[in-house]
Amino acid sequence: MKTQPLILSKDQERRLIAGHCWIYSNEVDTKATPLKDFQPGQPVAIRSDHDRWIGHGYANPHSLICARVVSRDPTQPLSPTLWLKRIHDALALRERLYTRPFYRLIFGESDGMPGLVVDRYWDLLAVQITTAGMERVQGEILAALEQVLRPKAIVLRNDTSVREMEGLTQGVEVILGSPEDALPLIENDLEFLVSPLTGQKTGWFFDQAENRTRLARYGVGRRVLDVCSYIGAWGLRAAALGAEQVVCVDSSLPALERVADNAARNRLSERIQGRHGDAFEVLRALREEDARFDTVLLDPPAFIKRRKDEKDGLQAYLRLNRLGMELLEPGGLLVTSSCSFHMGRDVFVRTVQQAARRAGRTLQLLETGQQGPDHPVHPAIPETAYLKTLFFRVLPEF
């Protein structure tokens, strides 16, 4: 059956020809190809207004991003063969990078599969589908993953709010096997129990692994504060590097209980202390207590999820970093992150610098980090470069 065409408006192909894969609804010639004629997730053949071939993709008339390019080869439409090839290509990169099978296997657009994320926990795959196009071929994707990786368990983590924008329902479903919600994972020779069924995202934040490894270079000192600690990835790393006291702050009691469990697994319990509460409130309380730390780690959730959140989000990053700096000993280390792709790296640096001025501190930027190579950046798609992690030395004002 011939794939239905999707025609772009005049001069709307430049970004796509440069390598981007998103098509917005105002970029489509809706007279030639009315969006109402398409079903959510329907395969389309994308062409310019002068009939230039752009690529095979899928459409969703109910989403602001109304289509995505998946294949630029006219002879390679969306098919099980294409999914197998993309998964093999993605696996080849990860096997080149990692000696243990703990990583993000598929990172959406960067791996040529927009709308799909797959995290690998040894022989369990946590799969997240965020677009109608990938939802439509879910069976083909899962079959391809089984064929390539032979996992013992597959979990669908389709409980992200992003699915709402595509008109998709949310939920968690076990597709294969009977996995337990407490699986061991190893990072930097530390063992963690993660929760692929109920944990945040898919249970673990693989994107920060490289940055946590880099922490060893700077020394963490005796006392460390880990804010938005989740299940202790940063905090336990600091303890393993020699910190005598690590305070892990999180608003989730189950997360802090898992911090304690993970500390015990690594014989670090005596060095780890959990503190439950809102990050801003706990930081203010620590300031009132005159607490001081040699290293402060700030890894909050995205404060800017949409463009309209930008003003409030910038203020949140400003407050968080100011409070963190006020708790640092002179010459202390601040490791601060933003996973808001709407906030560019330069803006984030300026925001932290502004926080330093308000706190009466001077900063020395030592290193800038991004997500690890299992989250590769597509050079033509800025949205894939979302994580910024900055390593600062914080000094008294001069």
Side-chain angles (χ1 to χ4, degrees), residues 356-393:
R357 298 307 301 158
R358 294 188 179 183
R361 304 293 193 272
T362 297
L363 295 179
Q364 293 175 326
L365 179 58
L366 308 177
E367 184 175 354
T368 63
Q370 63 180 37
Q371 67 254 28
D374 58 340
H375 294 64
V377 174
H378 192 308
I381 307 177
E383 293 84 358
T384 62
Y386 67 95
L387 182 63
K388 289 79 57 179
T389 297
L390 310 176
F391 293 74
F392 288 103
R393 184 180 182 219

Side-chain angles (χ1 to χ4, degrees), residues 30-103:
T30 53
K31 290 184 178 180
T33 51
L35 289 175
K36 62 181 177 60
D37 290 349
F38 296 97
Q39 296 298 315
Q42 180 176 338
V44 291
I46 303 155
R47 294 183 176 274
S48 72
D49 68 306
H50 52 278
D51 205 33
R52 177 172 180 172
W53 171 258
I54 303 298
H56 291 288
Y58 57 76
N60 185 353
H62 306 310
S63 175
L64 176 62
I65 303 174
C66 71
R68 287 171 167 85
V69 179
V70 179
S71 168
R72 298 174 191 273
D73 182 350
T75 67
Q76 186 63 79
L78 279 60
S79 67
T81 301
L82 179 61
W83 312 137
L84 282 169
K85 181 181 185 305
R86 295 285 164 85
I87 293 168
H88 275 296
D89 287 346
L91 180 61
L93 171 64
R94 278 67 178 186
E95 289 185 334
R96 180 176 169 184
L97 295 170
Y98 300 98
T99 57
R100 295 187 178 105
F102 302 110
Y103 44 69

